[in-house]
Amino acid sequence: MGFALLGTSGSHVSVRDSHRWNPKFQSFTLKERFVVGFNPAKKFRAYNKLARLPFCKSGFVDFEERTSPDEVRKEIGQCYELIQRLGRGVVYLGSSRMGPGHPHYSQTLELAREIANLLDCTTWTGAGPGLMDAAIKGAQEAGKAVGGFKIGKEAGEWTSSNFHPYLPSETYLTCRFFSARKHGLVDAAVRSSNSDKTAVVALPGGVGTLDEMFEILALIQLERIGSELPVPFIVMNYDSFYAKLLDFLDDCEQWGTVSKGEVSSLWKICNSNSDALAYLAEFYGLPFPEKGKHETEMRSANKL
């Protein structure tokens, strides 16, 4: 019986003893690709060790904790418990790399403050740095509840601690599993009654943000998000950040991989905070005075 395993140079695998296998390890870099054949019955002695793969220079991923679905289910349950305690609300997805010196940071802070005031709801994020941090601080300025699902690593930096630098421990959960974190972010936006005022706000971001955006968008498209009522999905197209992505989706329509107008019917593209606030006010039938709109635009402009 043969097995083809994919790895990278520097990784190692311990295999349990069974029969005399002759698997192949396949490893490649951008410049080379090679195949190594071996017979573990002859060359390996420590068969009973669990497989461990290095994920960085300083440590290993131990997959023992992932061998039981109970661990993942337990963490998902903890996410749901936190949501029940703090209340559903607006979920912000965005870059962990855009810090306080970036114009999108100040725009996000402003947006989160105004939305928290408008909808009077909990603000949910991944409890990380960058635009997630801006959304948290904006909601705190509004004096509204904040909740988060933290993860051990955000793109661009290792988090040395499982603890958030300033959020109270009862307001966030540090997740071991990305799948549990995603469950939490989705459930936090679900609407089970007309009194629930929730939304998903996609801010500028990279691979992680796009992953979360399109996973939630697919759930909405397929009516699998688990919400009895529609959930507004807003894409903040600050400085035309998502222009090329939107062009690509237009191309998808031309190729026939998505139906004409299908994607545009699932979300709202907003180029400014005032656009987003006006859309949410209309969606929920809330007053959004012209005075408030003007003040929001002026504050955003002054911070750029």
Side-chain angles (χ1 to χ4, degrees), residues 92-110 112 123-140 150 153-157 159 164-167 181 203-206 209 238:
Y92 290 87
L93 316 172
S95 173
S96 64
R97 302 175 191 251
M98 294 178 173
H102 198 284
H104 294 170
Y105 184 97
S106 58
Q107 287 173 294
T108 297
L109 190 152
E110 172 77 26
T123 292
W124 290 94
T125 74
L131 299 188
M132 290 177 283
D133 182 63
I136 291 171
K137 290 182 176 176
Q140 288 182 326
K150 197 175 182 298
K153 182 184 186 300
E154 293 292 350
E157 68 173 53
T159 304
H164 194 277
Y166 61 84
L167 283 179
R181 187 196 203 193
L203 301 157
T209 302
Y238 291 141

Side-chain angles (χ1 to χ4, degrees), residues 17 65 73 86 115 128 158 196 215 239 243 302:
D17 190 11
E65 68 178 11
R73 283 197 292 264
L86 298 180
I115 289 180
W158 284 101
D196 290 329
E215 181 161 355
D239 301 314
N302 290 335

Side-chain angles (χ1 to χ4, degrees), residues 7 15 30 35 45 90 125 133 164 208 232 236 254 277 288 303:
V15 184
L30 291 176
V35 176
R45 294 294 180 265
V90 178
T125 74
D133 182 63
H164 194 277
M236 296 309 301
Q254 298 301 317
L277 290 165
F288 183 50
K303 290 183 179 181

Side-chain angles (χ1 to χ4, degrees), residues 72 76 79-80 83 149 178-188:
V72 181
I76 292 172
C79 291
Y80 287 6
I83 294 166
F149 301 104
F178 272 97
S179 55
R181 187 196 203 193
K182 288 181 176 180
H183 270 279
L185 291 172
V186 169
D187 189 68

Side-chain angles (χ1 to χ4, degrees), residues 8 16 24 28 33 46 63 75-76 107 109 125 163 167 192 197 218 248 265 269 280 290 300:
T8 58
R16 293 182 183 274
K24 294 183 179 181
F28 65 91
R33 181 170 181 167
F63 289 110
E75 191 163 276
I76 292 172
Q107 287 173 294
L109 190 152
T125 74
F163 301 99
L167 283 179
S192 57
K197 293 181 175 59
F248 167 73
S265 69
I269 309 300
L280 287 174
E290 286 298 317
S300 298

Side-chain angles (χ1 to χ4, degrees), residues 4-299:
L5 303 178
L6 182 64
T8 58
S9 58
S11 64
H12 68 275
V13 176
S14 297
V15 184
R16 293 182 183 274
D17 190 11
S18 178
H19 302 288
R20 293 177 63 86
W21 299 339
N22 187 27
K24 294 183 179 181
F25 269 75
Q26 183 174 334
S27 178
F28 65 91
T29 65
L30 291 176
K31 294 184 179 180
E32 61 183 350
R33 181 170 181 167
F34 56 90
V35 176
V36 179
F38 69 97
N39 189 329
K42 292 182 178 180
K43 298 187 178 181
F44 288 90
R45 294 294 180 265
Y47 301 135
N48 294 324
K49 294 182 179 179
L50 291 170
R52 300 177 74 205
L53 299 177
F55 68 97
C56 69
K57 294 181 181 179
S58 61
F60 289 84
V61 176
D62 192 338
F63 289 110
E64 184 176 6
E65 68 178 11
R66 300 181 68 95
T67 59
S68 170
D70 293 338
E71 292 297 314
V72 181
R73 283 197 292 264
K74 179 181 176 181
E75 191 163 276
I76 292 172
Q78 291 172 337
C79 291
Y80 287 6
E81 289 172 6
L82 181 63
I83 294 166
Q84 290 300 312
R85 183 156 48 82
L86 298 180
R88 293 185 170 108
V90 178
V91 175
Y92 290 87
L93 316 172
S95 173
S96 64
R97 302 175 191 251
M98 294 178 173
H102 198 284
H104 294 170
Y105 184 97
S106 58
Q107 287 173 294
T108 297
L109 190 152
E110 172 77 26
L111 177 66
R113 182 176 68 234
E114 296 303 320
I115 289 180
N117 280 324
L118 178 68
L119 301 186
D120 189 24
C121 64
T122 303
T123 292
W124 290 94
T125 74
L131 299 188
M132 290 177 283
D133 182 63
I136 291 171
K137 290 182 176 176
Q140 288 182 326
E141 287 187 8
K144 305 300 181 181
V146 172
F149 301 104
K150 197 175 182 298
I151 200 73
K153 182 184 186 300
E154 293 292 350
E157 68 173 53
W158 284 101
T159 304
S160 59
S161 170
N162 287 333
F163 301 99
H164 194 277
Y166 61 84
L167 283 179
S169 60
E170 66 271 14
T171 64
Y172 68 93
L173 177 68
T174 299
C175 298
R176 288 181 297 157
F177 306 105
F178 272 97
S179 55
R181 187 196 203 193
K182 288 181 176 180
H183 270 279
L185 291 172
V186 169
D187 189 68
V190 166
R191 296 179 63 214
S192 57
S193 69
N194 288 322
S195 61
D196 290 329
K197 293 181 175 59
T198 73
V200 177
V201 177
L203 301 157
V207 173
T209 302
L210 290 171
D211 172 44
E212 293 163 347
M213 283 174 59
F214 280 97
E215 181 161 355
I216 295 175
L217 193 70
L219 292 174
I220 294 175
Q221 177 193 35
L222 301 175
E223 298 181 356
R224 300 290 293 177
I225 195 171
S227 181
E228 296 180 15
L229 298 171
V231 177
F233 191 120
I234 296 174
V235 177
M236 296 309 301
N237 191 33
Y238 291 141
D239 301 314
S240 300
F241 181 89
Y242 283 115
K244 292 183 178 180
L245 174 63
L246 298 176
D247 288 343
F248 167 73
L249 292 173
D250 287 341
D251 289 341
C252 287
E253 288 189 358
Q254 298 301 317
W255 284 101
T257 55
V258 297
S259 300
K260 187 73 173 178
E262 181 179 15
V263 175
S264 60
S265 69
L266 300 175
W267 61 18
K268 173 69 174 179
I269 309 300
C270 295
N271 296 315
S272 67
N273 289 351
S274 59
D275 288 346
L277 290 165
Y279 172 72
L280 287 174
E282 180 180 3
F283 188 95
Y284 285 112
L286 300 171
F288 183 50
E290 286 298 317
K291 178 182 178 182
K293 178 178 179 180
H294 177 69
E295 289 176 352
T296 297
E297 292 174 340
M298 290 297 294
R299 282 195 296 266

